[in-house]
Amino acid sequence: MRTRPAGIGNANADWMGSLPPKLWLVPLNHLAVPGSHDSFTYWVDAHAPVGPDQKIYVKYLATMFSVLAKKVMVKWSMTQNLTFKEQLDAGIRYFDLRVSSKPGQPGLEIFFIHGLFGHKVRDGLIEINSFLCRHRKEVIFLDFNHYYAMGSAHHEYLIKMLQEVFGGKLCKDCQVETVTLDYLWKNKYQVIVFYHHPSAQGVPVMWPGDKIPAPWANTTEPGKLIRFLESTLKQRAKQGSFHVSQAILTPRVNTVARGLLWGLRNYLVESRNLPSIMSWVEVQRPGSGGVNIITSDFVELTDFANIVIGLNNSLLSEQERKAR
């Protein structure tokens, strides 16, 4: 029987609905929310061509050394191990999404992508919607922030797909400070979609990308990452947007070369990132100017979701102190 890593199961499937009533009126951009980076890369298709998000030299190597190159790419393309449902059950509520068409394939089908193609976007959305139908007080963020090989027809197809799948669950773009759990529940909203592309302008249920900045450290060094996270939190606008702290290390070409057969998880995440980054996460505080959404690779490797959700307890202490 396969053992489940820490923090996995459905213990956090209803964590938003289980928050103390005092937090129902707190703006959602002041709550601590666990998220995943490159969220739906738990499976990638090693038999499909290399994705259009990759540089020319990567495509060349994949062509010249197909079998070996694809095996390496799988190890470095997968940033999560959990399925859609498992991430939701574990408490993940923010999803970082990169999508692409398959060049040369007829039709407008869109796929998740990170080096290699993943599942069809529609299949993922349907699974998410199924979860939301069973957990009516849970709210998710879908952040579509990278698009590849997509023309206007593809964008129109994807935006229509989002509206068809989620329907009345889609929250309309509005002032961020007005968005509380109480507001969302009263309107039966469960999905906030951020669409970083001009194609979504004028669509009321598509939020612009500038309302959810996610500054990226682009480093392999945990110390530099933590300093970057601290500095961007200090610069965080006090009002007007959500905020994503990307608690992730980013491999360089030489990183991949040195850890070629190890892969992202074994070479960069488990051995170098997790201990220091989790120590940083544990001492954070949500609220105005504090953390909001925190993302991680391989969210099941630690008690990541539980720790981030637990940060909201500090907001209760703050409210009690003000009430004295």
Side-chain angles (χ1 to χ4, degrees), residues 46-324:
H47 300 290
V50 173
D53 60 331
Q54 291 301 292
K55 293 181 172 61
I56 292 175
Y57 72 85
V58 176
K59 295 178 182 177
Y60 173 76
L61 289 173
T63 302
M64 294 297 293
F65 308 100
S66 180
V67 177
L68 176 61
K70 289 286 185 66
K71 284 182 178 179
V72 172
M73 287 194 70
V74 167
K75 286 178 176 289
W76 287 91
S77 294
M78 295 175 67
T79 61
Q80 304 297 335
N81 285 326
L82 301 186
T83 66
F84 307 98
K85 181 181 183 298
E86 286 174 328
Q87 288 189 46
L88 288 160
D89 281 340
I92 302 302
R93 294 293 176 267
Y94 165 91
F95 300 98
D96 164 34
L97 307 173
R98 294 105 193 277
V99 295
S100 177
S101 72
K102 282 187 178 178
Q105 179 174 297
L108 298 172
E109 201 63 68
I110 309 295
F111 299 81
F112 296 116
I113 192 168
H114 188 220
L116 297 169
F117 289 99
H119 287 278
K120 291 180 181 178
V121 171
R122 183 179 293 275
D123 292 343
L125 299 183
I126 289 172
E127 190 164 346
I128 292 169
N129 188 59
S130 178
F131 172 88
L132 295 175
C133 288
R134 297 191 305 271
H135 304 273
R136 292 291 183 177
K137 287 194 170 183
E138 299 307 293
V139 177
I140 64 163
F141 301 83
L142 298 181
D143 191 357
F144 288 87
N145 50 59
H146 285 74
Y147 309 89
Y148 302 96
M150 289 177 58
S152 57
H154 293 101
H155 284 286
E156 185 178 336
Y157 173 77
L158 179 54
I159 292 168
K160 185 178 179 183
M161 182 197 304
L162 286 160
Q163 293 173 301
E164 288 175 350
V165 172
F166 295 116
K169 294 186 183 73
L170 291 170
C171 179
K172 293 179 181 177
D173 180 19
C174 60
Q175 189 175 351
V176 170
E177 288 75 17
T178 66
V179 181
T180 64
L181 287 173
D182 185 66
Y183 166 81
L184 294 164
W185 294 341
K186 284 179 177 176
N187 288 282
K188 298 183 178 179
Y189 294 149
Q190 290 184 273
V191 184
I192 303 176
V193 175
F194 298 90
Y195 205 92
H196 300 238
H197 194 273
S199 298
Q201 288 179 359
V203 183
V205 291
M206 298 290 113
W207 290 57
D210 61 9
K211 286 194 173 181
I212 192 161
W216 175 41
N218 191 19
T219 180
T220 59
E221 299 298 327
K224 288 182 180 179
L225 170 62
I226 289 171
R227 289 193 293 274
F228 178 84
L229 292 171
E230 292 285 357
S231 65
T232 51
L233 273 181
K234 289 176 183 175
Q235 297 164 11
R236 180 184 174 188
K238 292 292 188 292
Q239 296 180 331
S241 72
F242 295 94
H243 182 85
V244 180
S245 296
Q246 295 198 66
I248 59 165
L249 296 178
T250 303
R252 307 270 170 79
V253 173
N254 59 350
T255 314
V256 177
R258 288 196 301 269
L260 197 64
L261 299 179
W262 286 61
L264 178 66
R265 172 179 170 171
N266 294 329
Y267 188 74
L268 199 59
V269 177
E270 282 187 292
S271 62
R272 302 186 64 184
N273 189 20
L274 279 181
S276 55
I277 196 59
M278 290 313 300
S279 295
W280 179 83
V281 171
E282 287 171 356
V283 298
Q284 295 311 298
R285 295 178 70 89
S288 178
V291 292
N292 178 205
I293 296 161
I294 305 177
T295 61
S296 176
D297 289 323
F298 303 107
V299 294
E300 83 287 353
L301 292 182
T302 66
D303 221 11
F304 172 73
N306 283 330
I307 291 169
V308 175
I309 293 166
L311 298 178
N312 291 305
N313 292 329
S314 66
L315 293 174
L316 288 173
S317 304
E318 188 177 317
Q319 286 185 347
E320 289 168 0
R321 189 173 64 252
K322 289 179 178 178
R324 289 173 189 160

